[in-house]
Amino acid sequence: MHASSRPLALVILAAGQGSRMNSDLPKVLHQIGGAPLVVHAMEAGLALDPARLIVVTGHGAEAVEAAVAAHQPAAVCVRQNEQLGTGHAVLQAAEALEGFEGDVIVHYGDTPFIGSETLDAMRAARAEHDIVVLGFDAKDPGRYGRLIMDGNRLDRIVEAKDASDEELSETLCNSGLLCADAVTLMRLLQKVGNENASGEYYLTDVPGLAAAEGLSATAITCDEGETLGINTRAELSNAETLFQARKRAEALENGVTLTAPETVFFAFDTYLGRDVTVEPNVVFGPGVTVENDARIRAFSHLEGAHVGARAIVGPYARLRPGAELGNEARIGNFVEVKAAEIGEGAKVNHLSYIGDAEIGGKSNIGAGTITCNYDGVFKHRTTVGRDVFIGSNTMLVAPVSVGDGAMTGSGSVITSDVPAGDMAIARAKQANKKGLGARLMAKLRAQKQAKKGQ
Ligand code: UD1
Ligand code: MG
């Protein structure tokens, strides 16, 4: 059977502390593009449709497990209570791999940029070899393990700490990723000891043990950029910069106009359709999709939102989770939308808060309108029908509904439902006092003069 058609299990190592981050947060929960590092590692693997996804946790296990479950409920987390080395870490997955027949790819939770294509290439190379290691040509090999090759066969991996000078001169380095048949891998790991410079059980002993048994091991390579691991805050921010550069390039490639690409920030899952325009200084948090021909104007912030085709958002707009804009909807400056559907062609153009609401197609929401959705304890819904005209500065005190084609007078505080086609006015009646304005002003000015004279 062709190796790449065998079932695949992904084992992601995420038990390490990451002490050099100098953080209370486990290293793999630090974020790039709005997603934890461990989620980036999972995402690349998920594209290969693995039959099992196992994450080895240790430091900050509960928090890491919660993040893993939130992103991929089917993932299984196993604990490594003491961090005795990468080989020991993989062994913790033995039980979760029980009964599994197929290949395992071992991946690291702090290595966010390995692409699915690279994982797939490792899997394909399994057709010819029992063990496949992912290597790269290192500009500065430093602390990396060295791949000692014999032709295209991998003889063994030597950790830098244990290497001879001759071995250290090798620049082909270990990324850490490895692919092998699950049963073979677990069997070889049982043989791994800890008699080395670190006193750790090295995953990297596996190829040498395999070769000694007459099994074949090889290495394939990827670009060094892909193997970038995160150990410090400086590396994290550098990785964020690289990630953003890649997302911007991808957007441009996919037919998105970015007028100032370097000022637009993406999340790991931002989707922008064809001919979308994004003006300067826009931030996309997680979970945003924007349909074709929409325009996101300058200084807008979007997260968990869907923007329909040809809609216009901003400048200075904020779309929060659950904002659903229909085609051709318009959200203008200083408008915040949360958990609300804005119907096709509806407009909320100035200074509004629309939360827990539904606004029907073609309705116009006047400047300063607010859905008063929160009573201090509970949230309530506002429903506005189609072709409604909400006057400026209307307070819609939820739960409340305004029927199709209705209107509200400016400054109204709407506390009861407005039937379709009606006009609701809920404000104090205006009274004009003949000449009082001029008389009052004259009196006040006289008082001021008198004070000056004292
Ligand atoms: C490892 C490799 C090295 C390779 C390098 C690439 C080994 C012995 N060495 O070294 O050849 O060049 O990665 O970056 O594998 N982890 C656990 N439990 C443990 C130990 C580690 O879960 O007990 C996790 C860490 O959280 C991390 C990953 O495994 O995500 C790698 O561990 P790390 O200590 O960084 O290994 P390196 O010394 O970098
Ligand atoms: Mg490391």
Side-chain angles (χ1 to χ4, degrees):
M1 180 163 43
H2 186 272
S4 63
S5 63
R6 303 187 75 206
L8 180 72
L10 209 64
V11 175
I12 298 177
L13 304 191
Q17 181 175 18
S19 48
R20 286 193 284 153
M21 295 299 283
N22 196 10
S23 173
D24 291 335
L25 194 66
K27 175 161 81 171
V28 295
L29 293 189
H30 283 267
Q31 298 194 338
I32 292 178
L37 297 176
V38 67
V39 165
H40 286 268
M42 283 163 71
E43 273 295 303
L46 285 170
L48 275 64
D49 200 18
R52 296 192 196 185
L53 174 56
I54 302 162
V55 181
V56 182
T57 64
H59 274 283
E62 277 171 27
V64 176
E65 285 160 10
V68 167
H71 189 73
Q72 191 49 242
V76 175
C77 291
V78 299
R79 293 257 175 119
Q80 184 195 26
N81 293 319
E82 267 186 295
Q83 280 69 64
L84 302 179
T86 47
H88 179 259
V90 176
L91 263 183
Q92 308 313 302
E95 207 172 303
L97 285 170
E98 204 72 54
F100 173 75
E101 285 179 28
D103 287 339
V104 171
I105 290 183
V106 179
H107 193 349
Y108 288 178
D110 64 351
T111 309
F113 291 144
I114 304 277
S116 318
E117 303 75 21
T118 300
L119 297 178
D120 219 19
M122 291 178 71
R123 209 178 169 192
R126 267 278 296 124
E128 309 290 332
H129 297 273
D130 298 299
I131 312 278
V132 178
V133 165
L134 181 64
F136 63 102
D137 236 311
K139 273 194 218 80
D140 173 19
R143 307 186 314 117
Y144 291 115
R146 307 297 204 272
L147 304 188
I148 309 300
M149 303 295 292
D150 176 9
N152 79 336
R153 283 183 164 247
L154 173 61
D155 185 59
R156 63 191 190 285
I157 304 178
V158 191
E159 286 306 297
K161 278 187 183 172
D162 303 297
S164 66
D165 285 347
E166 193 193 335
E167 287 166 337
L168 281 177
S169 67
E170 181 56 66
T171 58
L172 183 60
C173 287
N174 179 26
S175 70
L177 278 79
L178 179 145
C179 179
D181 168 70
V183 175
T184 308
L185 177 62
M186 288 300 141
R187 189 175 55 73
L188 291 172
L189 279 172
Q190 300 285 355
K191 291 190 174 186
V192 170
N194 66 349
E195 298 84 35
N196 52 51
S198 310
E200 286 185 2
Y201 296 88
Y202 291 163
L203 173 63
T204 47
D205 282 355
V206 163
L209 290 169
E213 281 189 6
L215 296 175
S216 81
T218 195
I220 65 159
T221 56
C222 69
D223 202 67
E224 182 163 9
E226 270 191 72
T227 68
L228 190 86
I230 312 298
N231 299 296
T232 63
R233 305 266 184 171
E235 284 171 0
L236 182 69
S237 69
N238 178 41
E240 180 75 47
T241 303
L242 293 172
F243 171 85
Q244 293 300 339
R246 182 188 309 164
K247 286 304 237 189
R248 290 166 191 146
E250 250 173 53
L252 294 169
E253 186 78 18
N254 292 340
V256 172
T257 294
L258 303 176
T259 48
E262 65 285 1
T263 68
V264 176
F265 292 83
F266 293 96
F268 70 107
D269 60 353
T270 307
Y271 169 83
L272 303 180
R274 194 178 164 87
D275 291 313
V276 164
T277 297
V278 183
E279 294 183 5
N281 297 299
V282 171
V283 175
F284 294 98
V288 176
T289 52
V290 180
E291 303 298 339
N292 295 359
D293 301 295
R295 186 175 193 93
I296 312 298
R297 305 207 55 201
F299 296 97
S300 294
H301 188 284
L302 300 81
E303 62 186 312
H306 174 252
V307 176
R310 300 174 299 284
I312 300 177
V313 174
Y316 299 97
R318 176 159 186 218
L319 302 185
R320 290 174 53 204
E324 279 281 339
L325 313 192
N327 295 345
E328 279 147 55
R330 299 184 77 152
I331 300 298
N333 40 264
F334 307 107
V335 171
E336 173 180 344
V337 180
K338 182 218 77 170
E341 261 173 65
I342 311 293
E344 256 191 65
K347 294 178 183 167
V348 191
N349 270 337
H350 333 266
L351 302 158
S352 277
Y353 171 63
I354 305 295
D356 300 308
E358 190 182 326
I359 309 294
K362 292 271 192 310
S363 286
N364 186 85
I365 309 297
T369 294
I370 283 172
T371 54
C372 310
N373 60 330
Y374 187 45
D375 59 17
V377 179
F378 297 106
K379 297 276 175 73
H380 302 282
R381 282 190 74 76
T382 299
T383 308
V384 172
R386 292 185 60 84
D387 295 303
V388 169
F389 183 91
I390 300 288
S392 295
N393 201 34
T394 296
M395 300 295 114
L396 295 161
V397 182
V400 74
S401 72
V402 180
D404 292 347
M407 296 178 86
T408 68
S410 320
S412 288
V413 178
I414 303 295
T415 53
S416 38
D417 292 352
V418 181
D422 282 8
M423 165 76 160
I425 305 174
R427 62 184 185 219
K429 210 174 169 63
Q430 181 171 331
N432 293 344
K433 308 284 184 187
K434 187 101 186 126
L436 181 58
R439 288 202 303 279
L440 191 55
M441 193 58 81
K443 189 172 153 192
L444 292 171
R445 285 190 178 128
Q447 279 176 358
K448 192 174 178 185
Q449 276 310 96
K451 268 199 172 160
K452 269 191 188 163
Q454 274 174 9

